[in-house]
Amino acid sequence: MLIDTHAHIYDPQFDTEAMLTRAEAAQVSQIWMPNCARETVPGLMALAEQYPDRCLPMMGLHPAYVNADVEVELASVEDLLNRHAFMAVGEIGLDFYWDMTYVDQQFAAFDTQLRWASAQQLPVSMHTRSGHDRNAFAEAADMIEKLALPNLTGIFHCFVGTLDEARRAIDMGFKLGIGGVATFKNGRSGAPGLDKVLPHLGLEHIVLETDAPYLAPVPHRGKRNEPAYLRLIAQRIADLMHVSVDDVARHTTANAQALLPALYANLLPG
Ligand SMILES: [Zn+2]
């Protein structure tokens, strides 16, 4: 049994039934859905209502979607967080890769949403993509350490950092979300390669994710990604860490379950 801790399965390019059937066949029993912005809310909520025990919703404003409408976007997130149950605040964070126009607003939105997560005792799913000669992981970690909010935990989604950065995330009480990049020969552009990092980490610090429809693992690299491919990622991690794929499944599922707020914790067999 595997948990995909980060997948945008409300993306319109999916035939939902077929995609979920393939996920089930691959023993992916639960899929966590990060929100991006107001435009993705209807699709996300529809899936969460239709498959309440399989497709778990997060709510948040994605940093790459922060623009001049940031106040309206955040008001929508806050309103939804107050009216519905969500398993996490996400995805939130810093994106220096695409566009630096609204970087100040990105920091403000990240700060605000971290505070909401802490106040509601929800974990966070964090996007930290570097670019323009700035390290998004380091700046996010600096901010979290400075804020020192109570009850704050979660996942550094799509972790591609160094061993030192992995240890810093772990020391801060966070899990590392490992996805298709682990199967790439050269990691992601500028990253050291997870093959140099994962062998030095314990399984207790890792959760699995696809980030579908993005970042498909080898041999599907460059194509549309989907939760059924999570098994390929689990196998790659098992190979890199010299453990069995069953060990990877058991640990990463337990790690993910431990992050779930009480309302969702009874969905899976203990
Ligand atoms: Zn994402």
Side-chain angles (χ1 to χ4, degrees):
M1 183 172 71
L2 305 171
I3 295 181
D4 188 345
T5 62
H6 193 108
H8 302 263
I9 52 170
Y10 47 77
D11 190 289
Q13 55 183 306
F14 287 118
D15 171 345
T16 307
E17 279 295 328
M19 176 265 296
L20 287 176
T21 300
R22 290 191 295 272
E24 201 168 6
Q27 290 174 292
V28 179
S29 58
Q30 205 173 77
I31 302 163
W32 297 359
M33 304 180 292
N35 190 48
C36 291
R38 277 176 299 164
E39 67 195 65
T40 53
V41 168
L44 177 139
M45 297 303 279
L47 273 179
E49 273 163 37
Q50 200 178 348
Y51 304 98
D53 52 351
R54 293 177 65 191
C55 305
L56 276 50
M58 308 181 200
M59 185 45 56
L61 175 61
H62 188 304
Y65 288 73
V66 169
N67 57 31
D69 289 336
V70 63
E71 294 304 330
V72 182
E73 290 285 358
L74 284 177
S76 163
V77 170
E78 185 178 30
D79 176 54
L80 285 159
L81 281 173
N82 288 331
R83 285 193 296 119
H84 291 274
F86 293 97
M87 58 79 39
V89 175
E91 60 183 289
I92 63 174
L94 301 170
D95 189 303
F96 301 152
Y97 186 78
W98 295 109
D99 185 0
M100 299 297 272
T101 310
Y102 294 101
V103 70
D104 291 344
Q105 290 88 339
Q106 281 193 35
F107 274 93
F110 188 30
D111 179 294
T112 298
Q113 294 181 96
L114 286 171
R115 291 174 195 274
W116 289 341
S118 169
Q120 298 211 5
Q121 301 193 31
L122 293 175
V124 293
S125 181
M126 277 185 299
H127 169 114
T128 53
R129 190 162 188 200
S130 300
H132 294 85
D133 292 322
R134 285 176 66 171
N135 182 328
F137 173 87
E139 295 195 35
D142 288 347
M143 192 162 148
I144 290 166
E145 282 177 355
K146 207 170 75 189
L147 285 171
L149 295 163
N151 306 310
L152 192 66
T153 184
I155 299 168
F156 278 95
H157 137 66
C158 193
F159 180 81
V160 292
T162 63
L163 185 56
D164 282 346
E165 288 173 336
R167 290 187 171 134
R168 186 175 179 194
I170 291 163
D171 286 345
M172 290 163 55
F174 286 78
K175 304 295 179 200
L176 309 171
I178 305 296
V181 175
T183 70
F184 299 174
K185 253 207 177 65
N186 304 310
R188 208 175 195 183
S189 51
L194 287 165
D195 57 330
K196 315 256 185 333
V197 175
L198 287 175
H200 304 286
L201 297 177
L203 273 175
E204 65 271 29
H205 305 303
I206 289 170
V207 295
L208 304 178
E209 63 171 56
T210 57
D211 203 15
Y214 315 107
L215 292 172
V218 173
H220 306 289
R221 189 174 182 179
K223 308 244 173 61
R224 186 189 72 189
N225 196 6
E226 64 173 67
Y229 297 163
L230 199 63
R231 188 148 286 278
L232 295 165
I233 295 162
Q235 184 62 59
R236 172 66 171 160
I237 292 171
D239 294 346
L240 287 174
M241 298 179 82
H242 303 291
V243 295
S244 71
V245 74
D246 285 347
D247 282 338
V248 172
R250 199 174 60 250
H251 282 274
T252 56
T253 296
N255 297 342
Q257 278 184 280
L259 287 172
L260 284 172
L263 187 60
Y264 291 93
N266 60 354
L267 286 179
L268 289 170

